[in-house]
Amino acid sequence: ENYPHAEFGFYLLAHLSNRDGSAFECQDCHVDSLRTFDDFTCTECHMELENEAMLQHVVDFTFECLACHNGIDSYGSDFDHQSTEYPLTGRHLETSCGGCHLGATSIVELQSAPSDCYACHSQDDTHEGRFTEDCAACHSTESWQETTVDHDRTAFPLVGQHQETACLECHVDAEWSGIPVDCAGCHTDDDVHKGKLGTDCVACHTAQSWQDVRTEDFDHNLTGYPLTGKHVEIPTCESCHAGGQFVNTPRQCVACHREDDAHNARFGIDCETCHRTSDWKDATFDHDRTDFRLTGAHESLRCESCHANGEYSGTPSSCVACHAPDDVHAGSFGSDCLACHSTTTWRGAAFDHQVTGFSLTGKHVSASCEKCHGGGVYAGTPTRCVDCHGDDDAHNGSFGWECADCHTTEKWRGAAFDHAGQTDCQSCHTDDKPKDHYSGQCSDCHDTNSWGNVSFSHSFPLNHGGAKSDCATCHPNSLSDYTCYECHKHEPQKMQEKHAEKDIFDLSDCAACHPNGKKD
């Protein structure tokens, strides 16, 4: 009795006396040896004490009693499930341990039992998973058949008459998931407007009653056409929505105000360009919204100054359309008045001559317009120097008409000519060319010191064949033409011997092989 039995994980506090009241002996439990213990010993003893309970206990948890019991019944009949993280309520209080902990053979397995409803009640789910696995959302532990649904936890809280509607009115055939939440999903047959007002029933109706229409507090801003100004004071919806037609109601002003258009559509149909909803008569117009912005003196003009007879559409925007009578040039400057004039003032015109293709430089800058544009004619004015300076030509045209070759616009006198660039001798020495003379450039042989000084850099020996610098010896017809064969054809036998394979040689082009006159 003094043996420290608890050190081996099993207390004797609940095993002080045998079932007949006699004191326990070690051999009562350790039948074969004090060093061994058979779990079946617990079962055999307790079968006699509580047979029915033990039979169920063995079925639920097998014979391994010591896997859970420690001799003081920590997990026995005195175990308080309410102290755990899963207190038992309702029908769970009447459920046997094996109902939730079936097959557990250790403390760890007992403690790891799932605590979600679906783990035990998946086979009881008549909804087949359509309501997810959160059974407690509708069911309680008091009764599986009695359900309560907090519809506020769904995406469609119930208000008004919806609170009194039977579940199957909306959940036909017990379909609980995928139910539409828009009014039209259930109330299409109740729509007396036949879709003319769209499908957003709550824009006018409330859940309190289908007949309770919110006409007074209807928020027109939700329609895409906010009511402003006088539109807010319109007495009835039918004023704009004739015949109860609310869908596709036109939004253009003219759709309602055609009879109020004193302009007879001459200004187009976009009334809000000038008018406002606050007052039909208080009209203003922003000319910057057109293709013709008003600037300068145009800003102070009365509308009728440009829009005669109240005609606004198709008004021309060119200057000449209004200012033709003011054109002192009588059209000689064309019709682009803005090229010189501005809208600030008609007088004080300025013209950028650089854009004409004839830039003014030198003395031309200070010349008056009439100097070149006689008679006020500007279009088609010639741009050649001679057209204006023909009378100033002291050369009488002998130098041609390109005055700018020598003269500049800075000063007519003091002309300069670049003689170095004029190198065509024949343009001046046309009479010095013999008929049979060399047709190339004179400067190839002659120089400017003396016409008789002739020299030519010849690539072929000048003493060839006794020519002795006599060009005509080899060039009898023209200095640009020569032929070796004309001289050497008189010695055919020698030519034959030297050119036994003459068929492969072009005897009319000896220089191709003898560029220096050598025989080898």
Side-chain angles (χ1 to χ4, degrees):
E1 63 217 27
N2 295 322
Y3 184 74
H5 209 284
E7 294 183 8
F8 294 90
F10 193 84
Y11 297 86
L12 298 179
L13 296 177
H15 291 77
L16 297 178
S17 60
N18 212 326
R19 61 180 178 270
D20 59 1
S22 60
F24 260 110
E25 297 291 339
C26 298
Q27 290 82 3
D28 290 336
C29 295
H30 301 280
V31 178
D32 298 326
S33 170
L34 295 180
R35 299 178 181 274
T36 61
F37 178 78
D38 188 351
D39 281 345
F40 189 73
T41 303
C42 299
T43 305
E44 183 179 18
C45 183
H46 284 278
M47 279 289 189
E48 297 180 9
L49 292 175
E50 41 192 349
N51 182 264
E52 185 177 347
M54 277 300 298
L55 287 174
Q56 183 63 45
H57 203 66
V58 168
V59 170
D60 292 342
F61 304 112
T62 73
F63 295 98
E64 299 180 11
C65 304
L66 295 184
C68 298
H69 297 283
N70 59 1
I72 57 174
D73 275 355
S74 296
Y75 292 95
S77 59
D78 295 334
F79 174 68
D80 184 11
H81 213 291
Q82 308 305 96
S83 64
T84 69
E85 295 180 357
Y86 191 80
L88 299 182
T89 60
R91 298 295 294 275
H92 287 169
L93 291 171
E94 306 171 8
T95 304
S96 66
C97 300
C100 298
H101 301 281
L102 183 63
T105 60
S106 67
I107 296 297
V108 174
E109 291 181 358
L110 283 172
Q111 294 176 341
S112 62
S115 59
D116 62 293
C117 306
Y118 213 74
C120 291
H121 295 285
S122 59
Q123 295 181 351
D124 304 323
D125 182 15
T126 59
H127 315 296
E128 298 178 350
R130 295 193 300 271
F131 285 179
T132 72
E133 299 179 0
D134 186 14
C135 307
C138 301
H139 298 273
S140 69
T141 59
E142 298 298 330
S143 173
W144 185 255
Q145 303 301 326
E146 294 181 7
T147 60
T148 57
V149 180
D150 183 5
H151 225 284
D152 290 344
R153 297 178 60 186
T154 70
F156 191 81
L158 298 182
V159 295
Q161 291 293 317
H162 288 164
Q163 291 177 321
E164 304 175 10
T165 304
C167 299
L168 296 181
E169 287 290 327
C170 297
H171 300 280
V172 180
D173 297 330
E175 287 290 340
W176 307 100
S177 60
I179 303 301
V181 296
D182 62 306
C183 305
C186 290
H187 295 287
T188 300
D189 295 337
D190 304 323
D191 183 12
V192 296
H193 313 294
K194 305 301 180 184
K196 292 184 294 184
L197 299 185
T199 60
D200 189 14
C201 305
V202 295
C204 300
H205 298 274
T206 68
Q208 299 300 326
S209 172
W210 188 252
Q211 305 301 325
D212 185 16
V213 181
R214 298 189 302 110
T215 55
E216 292 80 8
D217 61 345
F218 175 68
D219 186 2
H220 216 284
N221 292 333
L222 300 175
T223 65
Y225 189 83
L227 298 183
T228 59
K230 294 294 185 181
H231 287 170
V232 178
E233 304 172 9
I234 294 176
T236 62
C237 301
E238 288 74 13
S239 299
C240 297
H241 302 284
Q245 183 70 34
F246 288 83
V247 178
N248 297 325
T249 301
R251 301 180 181 183
Q252 289 181 310
C253 306
V254 71
C256 291
H257 296 285
R258 189 179 299 276
E259 295 181 357
D260 303 324
D261 182 12
H263 316 295
N264 295 321
R266 292 194 304 270
F267 289 178
I269 59 175
D270 189 10
C271 306
E272 63 183 7
T273 302
C274 303
H275 297 275
R276 296 191 296 272
T277 59
S278 58
D279 189 348
W280 183 255
K281 295 185 179 298
D282 184 17
T284 58
F285 181 69
D286 182 5
H287 218 285
D288 288 347
R289 298 176 60 184
T290 70
D291 294 332
F292 189 84
R293 295 185 59 192
L294 298 184
T295 59
H298 287 168
E299 293 182 297
S300 60
L301 290 177
R302 298 177 64 251
C303 301
E304 292 76 10
S305 299
C306 297
H307 302 284
N309 301 321
E311 290 290 340
Y312 286 80
S313 60
T315 301
S317 58
S318 64
C319 304
V320 72
C322 288
H323 294 286
D326 305 324
D327 182 13
V328 296
H329 315 295
S332 60
F333 285 2
S335 60
D336 186 14
C337 305
L338 288 175
C340 302
H341 299 273
S342 70
T343 59
T344 303
T345 176
W346 187 252
R347 299 186 179 278
F351 181 69
D352 183 8
H353 215 285
Q354 310 303 102
V355 301
T356 65
F358 188 84
S359 301
L360 298 184
T361 59
K363 293 295 185 180
H364 286 170
V365 175
S366 59
S368 64
C369 301
E370 290 75 13
K371 282 287 186 178
C372 298
H373 303 284
V377 177
Y378 287 79
T381 300
T383 59
R384 296 187 310 166
C385 304
V386 70
D387 292 319
C388 287
H389 296 285
D391 294 339
D392 303 324
D393 182 15
H395 316 293
N396 295 321
S398 60
F399 285 179
W401 307 116
E402 293 298 329
C403 306
D405 287 345
C406 300
H407 298 273
T408 68
T409 59
E410 298 296 332
K411 187 178 181 182
W412 184 252
R413 298 185 180 276
F417 181 70
D418 183 10
H419 215 290
Q422 309 300 322
T423 58
D424 184 6
C425 305
Q426 295 179 17
S427 60
C428 292
H429 297 284
T430 55
D431 296 336
D432 301 323
K433 178 182 177 183
K435 294 181 179 180
D436 60 348
H437 207 41
Y438 176 53
S439 60
Q441 180 58 269
C442 304
S443 59
D444 289 345
C445 299
H446 300 274
D447 60 34
T448 58
N449 294 319
S450 174
W451 188 251
N453 292 338
V454 180
S455 63
F456 182 70
S457 178
H458 211 285
S459 61
F460 205 78
L462 295 180
N463 61 351
H464 183 77
K468 298 181 181 179
S469 301
D470 184 4
C471 301
T473 302
C474 295
H475 304 281
N477 299 319
S478 172
L479 293 179
S480 62
D481 186 23
Y482 74 93
T483 173
C484 303
Y485 187 70
E486 288 298 320
C487 286
H488 291 281
K489 69 181 180 179
H490 300 296
E491 44 186 14
Q493 184 175 357
K494 190 175 182 180
M495 288 283 288
Q496 297 268 346
E497 293 174 355
K498 292 293 184 178
H499 299 83
E501 299 176 353
K502 64 178 183 299
D503 292 340
I504 66 173
F505 300 112
D506 183 2
L507 299 181
S508 63
D509 188 15
C510 303
C513 296
H514 306 280
N516 299 317
K518 296 181 179 180
K519 298 179 180 180
D520 53 346

